[in-house]
């Protein structure tokens, strides 16, 4: 009976500064099949490497698997090296799919590689925080996002919360115009 089973996925991405021009990333993905008889690990995957700042080029990458369900899955590790040298930005998603999508790789490693796109936002936040700590500056009056716009002008209209017509974004542009 299907209702006796459950599958959990845990996925994490950690970005850690190495220097002002380099960050280290660690991405993990774990799938666990839960049954009345106990838990079975399906996938335990890890990607780690470095990204240069501010250009977000993947300078190094290594993939590892401590658990995959099929013998042939081990062939999914070497193709991940093809991501080295890619720049996270416009076109990244399509290029990753071209390199490791479908039978050229593993859908789980693909998920992790696509999630590296989040490093753009996360590294921008790290840089913003180092220049103007959020808790000191505050986020509602536009000062913190003005710092972000200095680092990455494409933050404007990047999402619903950063639409150009919002009061916070108008205030951030005003702060930048007067400084």
């Amino acid at each position: 009976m299907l209702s006796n089973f459950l599958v959990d996925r845990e996925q994490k991405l950690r970005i850690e500064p190495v220097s002002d021009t380099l960050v280290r990333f660690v991405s993990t993905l774990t799938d666990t099949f839960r049954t009345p008889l106990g838990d079975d690990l399906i996938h335990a995957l890890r990607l780690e490497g470095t990204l240069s700042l501010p250009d977000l080029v993947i300078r190094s990458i290594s993939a590892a698997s401590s658990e995959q369900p099929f013998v042939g899955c081990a062939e999914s590790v070497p193709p991940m090296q093809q991501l080295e040298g890619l720049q996270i930005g416009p076109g990244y998603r399509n290029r990753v799919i071209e390199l490791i999508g479908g039978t050229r790789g593993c859908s789980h490693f693909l998920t992790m590689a696509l999630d590296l796109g989040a490093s753009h936002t996360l590294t921008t936040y790290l840089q913003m925080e180092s220049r103007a700590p959020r808790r000191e500056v505050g986020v509602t009056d536009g000062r913190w996002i003005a710092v972000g716009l200095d680092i990455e002008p494409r933050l404007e209209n990047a999402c619903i919360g950063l639409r150009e017509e919002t009061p916070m974004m108008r205030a951030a542009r005003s702060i930048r115009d007067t400084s």
Side-chain angles (χ1 to χ4, degrees), residues 7-172:
V7 178
D8 281 331
R9 171 167 285 178
E10 289 185 26
Q11 188 172 355
K12 296 181 182 178
L13 174 61
R14 179 184 175 111
I15 305 289
E16 178 182 335
V18 174
S19 70
D20 287 344
T21 60
L22 193 70
V23 295
R24 178 176 182 266
F25 64 85
V26 177
S27 175
T28 57
L29 182 145
T30 305
D31 289 333
T32 306
F33 185 52
R34 305 198 187 279
T35 75
L37 300 175
D39 294 349
D40 288 320
L41 190 59
I42 304 168
H43 295 101
L45 309 176
R46 183 179 183 91
L47 276 182
E48 56 185 294
T50 55
L51 296 168
S52 55
L53 295 177
D55 58 356
L56 291 176
V57 171
I58 299 173
R59 296 295 174 193
S60 66
I61 188 165
S62 66
S65 169
S66 59
E67 187 68 43
Q68 286 179 298
F70 309 111
V71 173
C73 293
E75 295 174 32
S76 66
V77 173
M80 298 304 292
Q81 286 300 130
Q82 297 176 78
L83 302 181
E84 194 168 301
L86 286 187
Q87 182 176 23
I88 294 172
Y92 173 76
R93 183 186 192 311
N94 290 339
R95 188 69 181 125
V96 168
I97 291 169
E98 287 172 13
L99 291 171
I100 62 169
T103 57
R104 293 174 300 282
C106 162
S107 63
H108 302 86
F109 275 130
L110 176 65
T111 296
M112 296 168 75
L114 292 174
D115 193 45
L116 282 180
S119 63
H120 177 264
T121 302
L122 298 174
T123 58
T124 299
Y125 281 2
L126 282 172
Q127 293 172 78
M128 290 166 69
E129 189 67 20
S130 73
R131 293 182 190 184
R134 224 171 79 119
R135 291 186 179 173
E136 292 174 21
V137 175
V139 295
T140 58
D141 64 2
R143 290 181 293 158
W144 199 63
I145 201 67
V147 172
L149 288 170
D150 286 340
I151 295 164
E152 177 51 89
R154 293 180 301 168
L155 283 178
E156 187 169 3
N157 291 318
C159 67
I160 196 168
L162 299 175
R163 292 183 325 268
E164 65 184 80
E165 69 271 9
T166 62
M168 182 188 63
M169 194 55 74
R170 283 197 304 268

